[in-house]
Amino acid sequence: MRHSGTTLYRSPYEPASPAIAGEGFFDAGYDPLAYAVEACHQLGLAVHAWMVTYPLVSPKRSPHPLLREHADWAIAHKGSYHLDPGNPEVRSYVAHLATDLARRYAIDGVHFDYFRYPEAAETFNDRTSYARYGSSFPSKAAWRRDNLTRQLREVRDSLASIGSDVQVSVAPLGKLKMIPDLGRSHGWTAYESVYQDPETWGREGLVDFVVPMMYYRGDLYSPFLQDWKEKVAPYIPVIPGLAAYRVEESGWPSSVIAEQIAEEREVGLGGVCFFREQHTSSRFPLVRQVIEQAFASTALPLALKRGEATAPAAPEGLHAVFVSKKEFNLSWTLPRGASTRGITYRLWVTTTDSQGRRAATLLAQGLRSPECRLTLEDFVGDDCAEFGVEAVNSFGVATPIAHGLELNLAALRLEQQH
C-alpha cells in the first residue's frame, strides 16, 4: 500500500503511486485499499497493508514533498534517498502513517518491509544524527539497532492511542545472524548487516509475528531456519517467506518449495508465506500444484499471544430456522454485554453417516455476522449433524465451543417426502 514514499490509498501526506495516478496526490475516483478491504472481507480474508518503510524515491523534476519540507529527514545513498531511522521526527512520521491507515481503513494488520538500514549500510551517512542522538550507546551498530526497535515501540504506542488492535509484522532479512560454523560465506544478515534485532522485538512483544525473507536453499536455508526457531520463535511466531518466484526466475525445481514447506513443519514454526502472489497463481502451475498439495486441508489463523488477554466470550443460543424444505439458517448470539469488537466466527460440524462413521469439518471461518445459510444438500449421505460455533478475536484467539446443536438429517428428509 506504500511504495517508496508513494501510496496506493488516499493519503493526505504522500503522493499517489505513479502506477495509478501519474504524478501528484491522489485524485482518482478509485481507492484500491478500500476496494481490497471490502472484497477480501466478503471472502473471509484478512488484509494487511504492506508498507515500504524507509526508502524514498524522488523524481528530479518533482521532488518528494518530504524532501521539500523536511530536507534533514532523508539521506542520499546509492543514487536514491533513505529516511533516517535515527531521526526521531522520521520515526514519529512512520508511526503516524501506520496509525492513519488503521484509523481510516478497516485493515487487519500493518506489515513493514524495508524496515532496516540500506544496502552498504557502512557507507550510509548518518553521522549528524549519530552525533546528536547516539552518544550514550556503546557503538553505532547498537544505536542503529535501537533506532529500529524504538520505531516499533512508537508504532505500538501510536496504534494504542487510537484504540487500534491491528496486527503488526515485519519482513526482516532471511538470515538472522552470522553462524560461526556455517563453513561458507553468509552474504548479508539481518542483525549484523542492516541492524534488525527481531529477538528484542519478540521479547518485548513489539510485533505479532515476523516473516523473514528466506529466499535461499540448502545451507543458506536450513541452518537459518533452525536459528529463527531457537532465537525468535520462543517469543513470537516466525513465518518463513519462501521464494516462489525463483521457480520461474531462477530455474529452481518446484520440489525445492515443497521440501522447504515440509522442513518448516518439521522444525515447528508458524507457517509459511510465499513471495510473490503472481507466482502462486494459475499462471505458474508447478508452484500452484505444490501449494494445493501442501494445503489440502484448511489452515486456521495463528492464535497470537497479544490476543490472549482479550479472549472472546463463547457464543450461545445456536439454533436453526428452515427457510424452505431444503434450506436452513443457523444463527447464534454472544452473551449480553460481551464485546463484539473484531470478532469473527468459525462454524464446525461433526457428521454421522448411516454406517455410524463420524467426521469433523470446518464449514466456514471469518464469518462477520452471527449466522450462516446452509442446505440439506450440503450433507448428502449424513444422518446426523452436530454444529458448534467458536468466536475468534482479531488476534486469532478462539473460545472453546460451549453450546452445540444437533440435527437429525434423516428425519428431516423423511418429513420432506411427506
Side-chain angles (χ1 to χ4, degrees):
M1 285 295 110
R2 180 177 189 255
H3 296 172
S4 298
T6 63
T7 68
L8 281 166
Y9 64 94
R10 293 184 181 277
S11 171
Y13 307 107
E14 296 189 309
S17 168
I20 57 171
E23 292 185 2
F25 280 79
F26 208 119
D27 58 3
Y30 168 58
D31 186 334
L33 182 54
Y35 173 80
V37 168
E38 180 180 1
C40 290
H41 283 176
Q42 287 178 357
L43 296 171
L45 295 171
V47 178
H48 290 231
W50 177 4
M51 302 179 72
V52 171
T53 312
Y54 295 116
L56 190 68
V57 171
S58 179
K60 289 184 178 180
R61 68 173 180 269
S62 178
H64 193 282
L66 292 184
L67 294 183
R68 295 197 302 264
E69 299 164 14
H70 305 283
D72 60 332
W73 284 15
I75 296 172
H77 181 73
K78 293 181 71 65
S80 187
Y81 292 91
H82 196 274
L83 293 175
D84 181 7
N87 186 323
E89 292 181 332
V90 167
R91 297 197 298 268
S92 295
Y93 178 73
V94 169
H96 176 72
L97 289 178
T99 304
D100 174 63
L101 265 174
R103 179 189 292 114
R104 296 192 294 114
Y105 295 90
I107 56 175
D108 302 284
V110 177
H111 179 68
F112 291 104
D113 195 5
Y114 285 83
F115 188 84
R116 55 176 173 82
Y117 279 79
E119 293 89 341
E122 65 277 3
T123 65
F124 184 62
N125 187 13
D126 55 354
R127 290 193 300 268
T128 300
S129 54
Y130 180 49
R132 186 172 183 181
Y133 303 110
S135 60
S136 63
F137 288 84
S139 66
K140 192 172 190 178
W143 172 72
R144 284 178 167 180
R145 292 187 193 103
D146 187 70
N147 290 332
L148 298 183
T149 299
R150 283 176 182 239
Q151 177 72 85
L152 289 173
R153 291 192 192 112
E154 290 198 36
V155 169
R156 176 198 60 191
D157 294 345
S158 183
L159 289 171
S161 73
I162 64 166
S164 173
D165 56 5
V166 298
Q167 298 174 21
V168 176
S169 58
V170 175
L173 296 190
K175 291 169 283 190
L176 177 58
K177 288 184 175 181
M178 300 285 287
I179 297 177
D181 58 354
L182 186 64
R184 61 159 295 170
S185 172
H186 287 66
W188 59 350
T189 61
Y191 188 81
E192 290 91 357
S193 303
V194 294
Y195 308 102
Q196 296 168 323
D197 189 4
E199 289 180 75
T200 297
W201 306 345
R203 191 181 303 111
E204 291 192 24
L206 300 177
V207 294
D208 293 296
F209 60 92
V210 289
V211 187
M213 300 180 291
M214 303 194 69
Y215 306 154
Y216 314 97
R217 56 177 172 171
D219 56 4
L220 289 182
Y221 178 80
S222 299
F224 293 96
L225 193 72
Q226 191 63 42
D227 206 33
W228 284 104
K229 167 72 173 180
E230 294 171 0
K231 293 185 172 69
V232 180
Y235 307 110
I236 53 172
V238 175
I239 302 172
L242 306 185
Y245 73 95
R246 287 192 180 272
V247 175
E248 172 71 15
E249 296 182 6
S250 303
W252 281 15
S254 60
S255 59
V256 171
I257 303 299
E259 291 163 1
Q260 290 184 338
I261 294 171
E263 187 173 353
E264 180 276 334
R265 288 173 170 170
E266 183 178 352
V267 170
L269 295 176
V272 294
C273 178
F274 300 100
F275 184 78
R276 49 198 171 267
E277 186 275 338
Q278 68 175 359
H279 291 97
T280 68
S281 70
S282 57
R283 293 170 52 202
F284 300 92
L286 293 178
V287 171
R288 187 73 173 183
Q289 184 178 21
V290 166
I291 293 173
E292 289 175 346
Q293 291 174 349
F295 294 94
S297 299
T298 301
L300 297 180
L302 285 170
L304 302 173
K305 292 181 180 179
R306 190 152 61 105
E308 294 174 357
T310 56
E316 58 187 24
L318 178 61
H319 67 283
V321 174
F322 275 80
V323 296
S324 70
K325 286 188 174 182
K326 294 184 178 181
E327 196 172 35
F328 60 97
N329 198 57
L330 289 180
S331 61
W332 55 89
T333 61
L334 289 178
R336 183 184 299 272
S339 173
T340 60
R341 176 180 168 183
I343 297 297
T344 59
Y345 302 96
R346 287 186 197 134
L347 178 62
W348 297 85
V349 66
T350 299
T351 55
T352 306
D353 66 15
S354 58
Q355 305 300 315
R357 292 172 295 205
R358 292 168 61 82
T361 304
L362 175 63
L363 285 178
Q365 64 174 317
L367 297 172
R368 294 180 180 268
S369 298
E371 61 182 352
C372 186
R373 184 67 60 89
L374 299 169
T375 70
L376 290 178
E377 293 177 354
D378 295 328
F379 305 97
V380 173
D382 297 318
D383 284 358
C384 179
E386 303 166 66
F387 297 95
V389 179
E390 292 176 305
V392 188
N393 67 17
S394 59
F395 298 100
V397 175
T399 53
I401 295 174
H403 304 279
L405 172 68
E406 184 173 344
L407 293 182
N408 187 326
L409 302 175
L412 290 169
R413 292 190 184 98
L414 283 175
E415 288 181 14
Q416 287 183 10
Q417 295 174 6
H418 300 286

